Amino acid sequence: MRDYLYVDTPRVRTLLAQLSSGLPEEKRSDHTRRWTDHLTGTEGPGHEEMTSDQEVRSLAELHVAMLEDDSEYTEMLLDVSDVSKKSKNWNRGRLHKALHPGSLIRVKGPTSVIHPASFAASVAAFDAFSEDSEFAKDVSKIVHAMYGQHQHLTLRVFPCGENEWEYQYSGVISDPGNYLAGEREVLFSRLGADPQEWTTLAMISRIPERDSTSPAVRFERAISSLQAAMGDGEEVNRLVLERMIQETSRAMEGMGLSEAPTWPAISVIPLAVYRTVRPSRITPELELDD
C-alpha cells in the first residue's frame, strides 16, 4: 500500500503508452498481479464530482505502478537508492557517468518539498505580529529572485543525508496534470519543514559538468564580450548576444538564482513521489503500567 504525494499524470501515461505500445486497460504479470483501468465500488449518488476526482487520481497512481513494472521488466528503470548514498560516487563523477538524460531512475531517501508561495504567505502573516513591516517585503523579494513567481514546488532528494545537501537530485513539480489541485497550500502543514523518507520516480533531466569558474568571472566575461562588440561600432549580432545570455545564465545558476543544478547535484523531472505505508502496531511497551 502506497501513500502518494505527487504524480505527473500526463508524462506517466505517455511513458507507459510507449512501453506498452498503447495505454493498457489490463495487464497480467508472472506474479498473477492484475492491473485494471476501472475501479469498483466508487459509484454513489450525490458524490459524482468527488468520486470522479478520486478515480482520476487512483488511475494515475495505478499507472505509476504499471510504469515501474514495465520499465523494470525492459530494464529501462534503474534504482539508484543505494549507490547514491555514497558521497564518493558524487565527488568522483561516477553517478554522472552512469546516468543518461531521459533515463528513468528510482531513488529513496530524505526528501524535501518546498512551496515558496506558501512560505511567502506565512511570512506576510508574521508581519501582523511584528513591528517591522518591511520584513515580509524583503523576504518576498528574495523568494521571487530565487524561485520566480514561486507557483511551482521544488523537490530535493538527499541520498547522503540532509547535512550533505550538495549531493542531491533536484527538480521542479509543475503539476501539469493538476494532481495537487487544492492541496499545495496545505503541504507544509502536512509534511513540516524537515525532510522525510519518500521514494521518487523520476526522469533524468540534466547532468551538469564540473565547473570551477566562479559566477563573478562569468558575469565579467558576459559584460566584456557585449561591450567589446558594441565598442566596434557595429550592431550586436545574434551570436554575441546568445553567448552573453549563456554566460549570464551559467553565472545565475552558480549563484543559486535559477533552479538549474550545479555540480554535483543532478536535475530530474519528478514523475511520482510516494512512500510505503507501514501498519501501526500496539507494542508491549504501550501496555505497561509504569
Side-chain angles (χ1 to χ4, degrees), residues 25-176:
E25 293 185 359
E26 183 175 301
K27 184 177 184 296
R28 295 179 184 270
S29 73
D30 294 336
H31 301 289
T32 67
R33 286 188 297 178
R34 183 178 181 182
W35 309 108
T36 59
D37 266 1
H38 67 275
L39 302 178
T40 59
T42 57
E43 297 83 10
H47 300 281
E48 294 183 1
E49 184 176 351
M50 184 177 64
T51 300
S52 177
D53 292 340
Q54 291 175 345
E55 184 169 352
V56 168
R57 292 187 59 155
S58 296
L59 290 178
E61 295 162 7
L62 175 66
H63 286 152
V64 171
M66 296 173 68
L67 176 61
E68 287 186 84
D69 194 36
D70 283 0
S71 56
E72 283 184 315
Y73 178 77
T74 57
E75 299 183 348
M76 293 295 292
L77 174 63
L78 182 65
D79 194 307
V80 296
S81 301
D82 291 334
V83 296
S84 298
K85 293 178 181 178
K86 303 176 181 178
S87 58
K88 62 183 179 181
N89 285 340
W90 295 84
N91 287 326
R92 300 177 184 179
R94 293 173 177 173
L95 270 173
H96 306 76
K97 294 177 182 178
L99 302 178
H100 303 286
S103 62
L104 299 180
I105 65 168
R106 181 174 57 217
V107 56
K108 180 180 179 180
T111 303
S112 175
V113 178
I114 302 172
H115 187 208
S118 295
F119 172 73
S122 297
V123 173
F126 178 77
D127 265 1
F129 304 95
S130 173
E131 296 179 357
D132 184 7
S133 60
E134 297 298 317
F135 177 70
K137 295 180 181 179
D138 293 339
V139 171
S140 181
K141 290 179 181 178
I142 294 174
V143 171
H144 181 75
M146 299 291 288
Y147 298 97
Q149 295 298 324
H150 49 72
Q151 294 302 315
H152 300 321
L153 288 81
T154 59
L155 175 78
R156 303 279 188 269
V157 183
F158 307 105
C160 298
E162 183 184 4
N163 293 332
E164 297 185 271
W165 60 268
E166 65 271 23
Y167 310 129
Q168 64 171 265
Y169 294 98
S170 66
V172 176
I173 295 179
S174 58
D175 197 18

Side-chain angles (χ1 to χ4, degrees), residues 11 13-14 26 34 43 58 68 74 88 96 116 135 139 148 185 187 216 220 246 251 262 266 269 284 290:
R11 190 170 270 108
R13 289 172 63 90
T14 298
E26 183 175 301
R34 183 178 181 182
E43 297 83 10
S58 296
E68 287 186 84
T74 57
K88 62 183 179 181
H96 306 76
F135 177 70
V139 171
E185 289 73 15
L187 283 180
E220 291 177 2
Q246 288 176 342
T262 57
I266 295 176
I269 301 174
D290 59 344

